[in-house]
């Protein structure tokens, strides 16, 4: 039962604010962030589709990286064709509707994916880190820190 009474304006604002909800088959599996960072708590209407997709992708990447051991890094797999896998080394957006991923493929060649938000389909994958004697790269945490600073 809810003891707090909301005005209609407060109820409408709460309905417009972003929420994250997940359930996993394994009850010990870590769910996504319930406490969204401040930039993600702003009403969706104040953001372009590209910015909104970018911010949520950061959370998904960061949560995925939390499940990785020190020998693996986040990458994304492509559906259709023989494009393969891209190790995610950077990400950005171009308002109003473009998301960009920067990285390298399995051979180490530089890659960039430019994608319209209406076609966004990202499969996160764990790849062995590229250099054995260096710590695994954690792009999600850098992206989240940058989001908090801006």
């Amino acid at each position: 039962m809810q003891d707090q009474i909301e005005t209609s304006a407060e109820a409408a604002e709460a309905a417009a604010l972003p929420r994250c909800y997940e359930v996993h088959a394994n009850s010990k599996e870590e769910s996504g962030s319930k406490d969204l960072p401040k930039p993600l708590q702003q009403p969706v209407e104040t953001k372009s589709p590209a910015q909104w997709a970018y911010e949520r992708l950061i959370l998904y990447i960061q949560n995925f990286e939390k499940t990785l051991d020190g020998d693996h890094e986040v990458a994304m797999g492509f559906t259709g064709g023989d494009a393969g896998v891209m190790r995610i080394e950077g990400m950005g957006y171009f308002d109003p509707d473009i998301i960009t991923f920067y990285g390298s493929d399995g051979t180490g060649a530089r890659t960039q994916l430019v994608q319209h938000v209406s076609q966004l389909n990202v499969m996160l994958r764990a790849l062995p880190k590229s250099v054995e004697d260096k710590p695994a790269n954690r792009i999600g945490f850098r992206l989240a820190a940058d989001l908090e600073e801006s």
Side-chain angles (χ1 to χ4, degrees), residues 46-109:
T46 65
K47 303 173 185 184
S48 71
Q51 180 183 359
W52 184 220
Y54 172 81
E55 290 174 354
R56 289 178 291 161
L57 280 167
I58 289 171
L59 283 183
Y60 282 112
I61 291 170
Q62 191 176 38
N63 288 333
F64 185 81
E65 285 179 333
K66 287 177 184 176
T67 69
L68 300 179
D69 61 26
D71 293 327
H72 289 85
E73 299 175 333
V74 67
M76 56 188 278
F78 298 104
T79 57
D82 292 330
V85 175
M86 179 174 75
R87 187 177 311 277
I88 302 172
E89 298 168 357
M91 195 171 76
Y93 66 94
F94 195 123
D95 281 335
D97 54 9
I98 299 292
I99 299 289
T100 306
F101 296 91
Y102 302 91
S104 56
D105 67 11
T107 67

Side-chain angles (χ1 to χ4, degrees), residues 18-20 33-41 52 59 148:
R19 290 181 297 247
C20 179
S33 178
K34 300 296 184 209
D35 298 320
L36 299 177
K38 287 211 182 292
L40 271 76
Q41 294 175 19
W52 184 220
L59 283 183
E148 288 289 336

Side-chain angles (χ1 to χ4, degrees), residues 16-35:
L17 293 177
R19 290 181 297 247
C20 179
Y21 183 79
E22 294 179 357
V23 175
H24 295 270
N26 180 352
S27 61
K28 295 178 183 175
E29 184 74 27
E30 185 72 27
S31 289
S33 178
K34 300 296 184 209
D35 298 320

Side-chain angles (χ1 to χ4, degrees), residues 126-143:
L127 285 185
K129 63 184 182 178
S130 57
V131 180
E132 279 302 313
D133 59 345
K134 289 179 68 177
N137 184 24
R138 295 292 182 245
I139 187 68
F141 295 96
R142 275 190 274 149
L143 290 167

